[in-house]
Amino acid sequence: MDLLGSILSSMETPPENKEEKKARMKQKRVSEKLQEQSRKEKAKFRSEVEKKVSQFVKDQSQKSLKFDPMDKLQRSIVHDVGEIAGLISHSFGTEEVDKYTILYKKEYPPSEQELRQLKYGEGAVAVATDDKVTGSSNVVTSGKDVTPTRDYREKYKHLIGSSSGQEAAKITQPNKSFGYVPSANKRDTRSIEETLNDLRTKKAKLQPPDSV
């Protein structure tokens, strides 16, 4: 043993306060008791969920099973039991307020419209139903017509004027004579001999004098 180890071993540990030791042991027992109680409640709740799910799977007339609002831990148990049973699970509502879980049989999955209604409310209406065609995401409104309270043209009349855009909106007529060449100008009245002579003259002018 080295010198430091021998010194530390020879030092006496300070006596522990009996009251502090008693409080610490009490706190430990309370913590263990709470953990055991939580474990039992969790096991009991899981057993109840498994029983409900088992009855739901056997019942051919039921397509979905809705649970009452519950906390995040309980919903996680429902999701886990549903996954083991081969079911589809979705949660709806507001966390710590009214969030609940619904289990669906795989042969009866919920439609997109049903999921939107459960997520946004019964009065919700999906505007964009075909994202592949429109290229936009699902937009949900309340289903009510929205009428603006003010006319923007009246508001910004001092900036854009009263006839803004009217000139641009007029139908323009194409200029049909643009690029038009009379057919008389397209005809070459020269004979073949005259054309060849003209070509020889132009070629001779392009050649340098030494090459002639």
Side-chain angles (χ1 to χ4, degrees):
M1 182 181 296
D2 57 2
L3 178 61
L4 179 60
S6 61
I7 294 175
L8 292 176
S9 61
S10 62
M11 293 175 61
E12 295 182 0
T13 57
E16 185 178 9
N17 190 309
K18 292 183 179 180
E19 293 297 329
E20 292 179 356
K21 182 178 180 179
K22 185 177 180 180
R24 183 168 56 82
M25 295 300 295
K26 183 179 180 180
Q27 184 179 3
K28 183 179 179 181
R29 288 195 298 269
V30 171
S31 178
E32 291 176 350
K33 186 178 180 179
L34 291 174
Q35 289 179 1
E36 181 64 18
Q37 183 179 355
S38 176
R39 186 188 65 80
K40 289 181 179 180
E41 290 177 354
K42 184 178 178 181
K44 181 181 178 182
F45 178 77
R46 186 181 183 92
S47 177
E48 293 174 354
V49 172
E50 289 176 346
K51 184 177 179 180
K52 287 183 180 181
V53 171
S54 178
Q55 293 175 352
F56 166 64
V57 172
K58 293 178 182 178
D59 190 349
Q60 300 295 331
S61 62
Q62 279 188 300
K63 299 180 180 180
S64 63
L65 176 63
K66 180 180 178 180
F67 288 84
D68 294 331
M70 57 187 67
D71 57 36
K72 188 174 182 179
L73 176 62
Q74 291 175 326
R75 291 198 310 274
S76 67
I77 295 175
V78 174
H79 286 295
D80 185 52
V81 174
E83 183 179 359
I84 294 174
L87 303 174
I88 303 171
S89 61
H90 290 282
S91 292
F92 309 96
T94 305
E95 188 67 54
E96 298 182 358
V97 178
D98 59 353
K99 198 160 188 177
Y100 61 95
T101 303
I102 300 180
L103 298 180
Y104 299 88
K105 293 179 179 179
K106 286 191 174 182
E107 54 266 31
Y108 303 108
S111 63
E112 291 295 330
Q113 182 179 0
E114 181 180 354
L115 291 176
R116 282 194 294 268
Q117 283 186 338
L118 291 170
K119 185 175 182 180
Y120 299 106
E122 293 294 333
V125 177
V127 176
T129 56
D130 192 355
D131 296 339
K132 294 182 179 179
V133 177
T134 62
S136 60
S137 58
N138 291 332
V139 181
V140 178
T141 64
S142 60
K144 299 179 180 179
D145 294 333
V146 180
T147 304
T149 57
R150 297 185 63 182
D151 188 354
Y152 79 94
R153 290 171 295 186
E154 192 68 27
K155 182 178 179 181
Y156 299 104
K157 185 177 180 180
H158 64 289
L159 296 176
I160 63 177
S162 59
S163 61
S164 176
Q166 293 182 3
E167 292 296 329
K170 291 182 178 179
I171 300 176
T172 58
Q173 297 293 337
N175 187 359
K176 296 182 179 180
S177 63
F178 180 76
Y180 175 75
V181 179
S183 53
N185 295 347
K186 299 179 182 179
R187 296 177 181 176
D188 192 349
T189 58
R190 297 177 299 173
S191 63
I192 297 177
E193 291 78 7
E194 291 175 342
T195 303
L196 292 175
N197 291 331
D198 290 341
L199 291 175
R200 293 190 189 97
T201 304
K202 291 180 181 180
K203 185 175 180 181
K205 290 181 180 180
L206 295 175
Q207 292 178 353
D210 296 340
S211 61
V212 178

